[in-house]
Amino acid sequence: MLNQLKNLTRDSIIYGIGHIATRVLTFLLLPYYSFHLSPAEYGELTLYFLFVGMAQAFFFYGLDIAYLRYFALNKDSERRRVVTGTTMMTTAVTSGLLALIIIAAAGGIGRLVVHAPTHPEAVVTLVRLCAGILFFDTLSTFPFLLLRGTLRPTHFIAVKVLNVAVNIGLNIWFIGGLDMSIAGVMWANLAASAVTFLALVPVLWNSVVFSLDRALVREMIRFGLPNVPTYLFVMIIELADRKILELYRGLEEAGLYSAGYKLGMFMAVVTGAFRFAWQPFFLSHADEENAPVLFARVLTYYLLVTSSLFILLSFFMDPLIRAHWPGVGYVLEPRYWPGLVVFPIILLAHIFDGVYANFMVGVYLKKLTAWLPLVTGVAALFTIVLNVLLVPSFGMMAAAWVTLLSFALEAALLYVVVRRHYHVPYEWVRVAKLAVACAVVSGLGLTHYFSGVWARILLVLAFPVLLLLVRFFDERELFYVRRWLLRR
């Protein structure tokens, strides 16, 4: 089991580098945006990306998860080429048609996306740019899945880094050099998406048979189609708060919240890296006798890593952002600082998102995708109702707490559904010990006794000691830790 977990950790790190490369945009460009865009402009920009996120459900219509499943479970290389070719041909046609529909209806869509835009004259163009981004991003998704499925992490990372380089370079030129504001961001994203797809074309060229297997298309759509409402509901859980904040509190507060949320996405980078490695991992080990025990241990270690990161980031991100660095100045423009209050809450929310991903093993192995719309739909309804009730009075803090509760509810509901069909002996006693230790350390960090940097460093060091005291680690784990320390 240890070797298998090492492989999962290695793959998470490898694919995480590629995933982090794209997410670096969040952390590198947010400070840049804060000095060139007003909070209201940043709030409007977030709404365009909200539209992209929602529309992507219809561009994929479940073919992404269907492709991953049928490719991974099919060991015949020629059949894999047919699966890839069929998927790409189908996607190219449907994505092109949907992009044309968005372009034609850009005016009406724009009025729905942004209630009171900061640049009304640019709304139609910006929506059309969204259509182009959706088209190229959808086509690029499947070559990336192919690289993951054939274990080519170096190529995967190289293309991701290329995307980042083009995006950052053009953002700086369009916004800082040409003063294009929001339009500059969207043009940069479109160009980066197009360049990324072109870079992936050689991957497809040698791994695809351009023939349409109609029976396969029908089978993949039956498997993946339930993911459309699921994806929409997931997007509602993650993004609807921005739209509700705009409607009830204005674009400026939506922008401030989005900035704090973006910083909290650091944990989403970690969970995203885990997801990239996790799906191929559990599919490849599903037939092994000890698979359920292995999957249970994965959840325990995932929570150990993310809890440790939560403590570190929630303790030290805020002082790092507010510090005035010699020769650099502030990392984030001070008018964006009010949004930092939601940062630790969003970190915690995305830990639950990773727990949800862990529970997905039963969905894939037992073909339970038909349950996903119910699970995510309940959580989405919960999100909308609570945001509408609480955001008008409590603003972005309400939005953050509702996000956390919604992610936790989503994970809990999925667990209830899956455990009846695929039993995994999760280590709930160990998870409870970990949760208590994390809560104690985090709670102490909120008091004025531990508000200083050195006091918080002591708390961070106390966390593993507390885990030892509550007997979180088993004897085998302690043996490997001692052996590792002696090697040093």
Side-chain angles (χ1 to χ4, degrees):
M1 179 185 294
L2 182 62
N3 288 332
Q4 295 164 328
L5 291 171
K6 284 181 178 177
N7 291 336
L8 176 60
T9 303
R10 181 202 63 207
D11 291 346
S12 294
I13 293 172
I14 291 173
Y15 289 111
I17 291 171
H19 185 61
I20 288 169
T22 56
R23 291 294 189 175
V24 162
L25 288 170
T26 298
F27 307 108
L28 291 184
L29 289 177
L30 175 58
Y32 187 75
Y33 291 156
S34 73
F35 288 95
H36 291 83
L37 301 177
S38 68
E41 287 176 316
Y42 188 69
E44 182 178 348
L45 176 64
T46 302
L47 294 177
Y48 289 115
F49 284 117
L50 184 153
F51 166 68
V52 169
M54 299 290 286
Q56 208 149 44
F58 299 100
F59 276 73
F60 284 135
Y61 54 93
L63 279 187
D64 51 339
I65 64 168
Y67 174 74
L68 181 63
R69 182 184 188 278
Y70 283 89
F71 185 91
L73 294 181
N74 202 319
K75 305 305 180 184
D76 181 70
S77 58
E78 189 61 27
R79 187 59 185 167
R80 283 184 164 188
R81 286 160 58 87
V82 172
V83 171
T84 303
T86 297
T87 304
M88 287 303 302
M89 291 176 67
T90 305
T91 303
V93 173
T94 55
S95 297
L97 290 173
L98 287 172
L100 290 174
I101 292 172
I102 292 173
I103 290 170
I109 292 173
R111 287 188 290 274
L112 292 174
V113 172
V114 187
H115 177 66
T118 57
H119 303 281
E121 73 287 351
V123 169
V124 171
T125 299
L126 293 172
V127 171
R128 288 173 176 169
L129 291 173
C130 290
I133 293 169
L134 282 162
F135 176 75
F136 286 112
D137 280 357
T138 303
L139 293 183
S140 297
T141 295
F142 299 98
F144 276 128
L145 290 174
L146 176 62
L147 290 174
R148 287 170 56 194
T150 53
L151 302 178
R152 286 184 275 176
T154 304
H155 200 150
F156 181 94
I157 293 171
V159 180
K160 290 286 186 179
V161 170
L162 174 66
N163 176 280
V164 170
V166 173
N167 212 326
I168 290 178
L170 291 180
N171 263 281
I172 293 173
W173 181 29
F174 291 159
I175 299 173
L178 302 181
D179 195 25
M180 293 175 64
S181 186
I182 299 173
V185 180
M186 301 305 293
W187 276 110
N189 275 269
L190 175 58
S193 297
V195 169
T196 299
F197 174 69
L198 291 176
L200 290 168
V201 168
V203 176
L204 291 171
W205 198 257
N206 297 318
S207 306
V208 66
V209 172
F210 287 105
S211 63
L212 186 67
D213 187 331
R214 291 181 174 82
L216 176 62
V217 170
R218 289 192 293 269
E219 191 174 347
M220 290 176 71
I221 290 176
R222 277 196 301 270
F223 177 82
L225 198 58
N227 196 54
V228 174
T230 301
Y231 189 93
L232 281 173
F233 293 145
V234 169
M235 288 297 100
I236 288 172
I237 295 167
E238 188 166 343
L239 299 173
D241 48 9
R242 259 55 62 89
K243 184 62 181 177
I244 294 171
L245 275 167
E246 184 226 2
L247 291 174
Y248 288 101
R249 308 280 291 200
L251 272 176
E252 183 169 348
E253 186 162 347
L256 293 173
Y257 173 75
S258 297
Y261 195 107
K262 283 289 186 183
L263 291 172
M265 290 288 285
F266 187 93
M267 194 64 75
V269 172
V270 176
T271 58
F274 170 73
R275 281 177 183 265
F276 274 121
W278 174 234
Q279 291 173 342
F281 177 85
F282 72 67
L283 287 172
S284 63
H285 292 286
D287 295 331
E288 297 177 9
E289 184 177 353
N290 72 330
V293 176
L294 174 65
F295 299 157
R297 186 61 54 87
V298 167
L299 177 64
T300 303
Y301 289 165
Y302 162 80
L303 289 172
L304 174 62
V305 171
T306 52
S307 297
S308 303
L309 283 172
F310 171 76
I311 291 171
L312 282 169
L313 293 169
S314 60
F315 280 3
F316 300 113
M317 181 64 78
D318 192 275
L320 288 174
I321 292 290
R322 295 178 186 270
H324 191 276
W325 298 91
V328 177
Y330 293 115
V331 174
L332 197 67
E333 214 276 341
R335 58 184 169 170
Y336 279 80
W337 289 356
L340 293 175
V341 293
V342 305
F343 168 69
I345 305 170
I346 301 303
L347 282 178
L348 192 55
H350 282 287
I351 292 179
F352 282 102
D353 190 36
V355 173
Y356 174 87
N358 192 285
F359 294 157
M360 284 290 288
V361 59
V363 173
Y364 276 80
L365 299 183
K366 297 300 181 180
K367 297 183 179 181
L368 302 176
T369 52
W371 283 95
L372 293 180
L374 177 63
V375 169
T376 54
V378 170
L381 181 62
F382 177 86
T383 300
I384 292 173
V385 171
L386 259 67
N387 270 304
V388 170
L389 290 175
L390 300 176
V391 163
S393 299
F394 302 102
M396 58 184 168
M397 284 302 292
W401 280 109
V402 170
T403 297
L404 169 58
L405 294 173
S406 298
F407 277 32
L409 175 63
E410 186 183 34
L413 290 174
L414 185 63
Y415 173 72
V416 170
V417 168
V418 170
R419 69 174 181 173
R420 295 185 301 166
H421 302 275
Y422 186 79
H423 177 67
V424 177
Y426 292 111
E427 301 171 314
W428 292 121
V429 173
R430 297 183 72 192
V431 169
K433 291 178 179 179
L434 179 61
V436 169
C438 183
V440 169
V441 172
S442 301
L444 288 173
L446 295 175
T447 66
H448 70 277
Y449 300 106
F450 293 94
S451 58
V453 172
W454 287 108
R456 288 187 169 185
I457 290 174
L458 287 175
L459 276 180
V460 170
L461 296 176
F463 181 57
V465 176
L466 185 55
L467 289 177
L468 286 170
L469 291 175
V470 299
R471 299 183 181 275
F472 169 80
F473 300 102
D474 64 27
E475 289 301 321
R476 186 175 179 83
E477 290 162 351
L478 291 173
F479 168 78
Y480 281 110
V481 170
R482 286 193 293 266
R483 191 173 72 173
W484 180 82
L485 291 173
L486 288 174
R487 286 178 179 176
R488 296 295 177 272

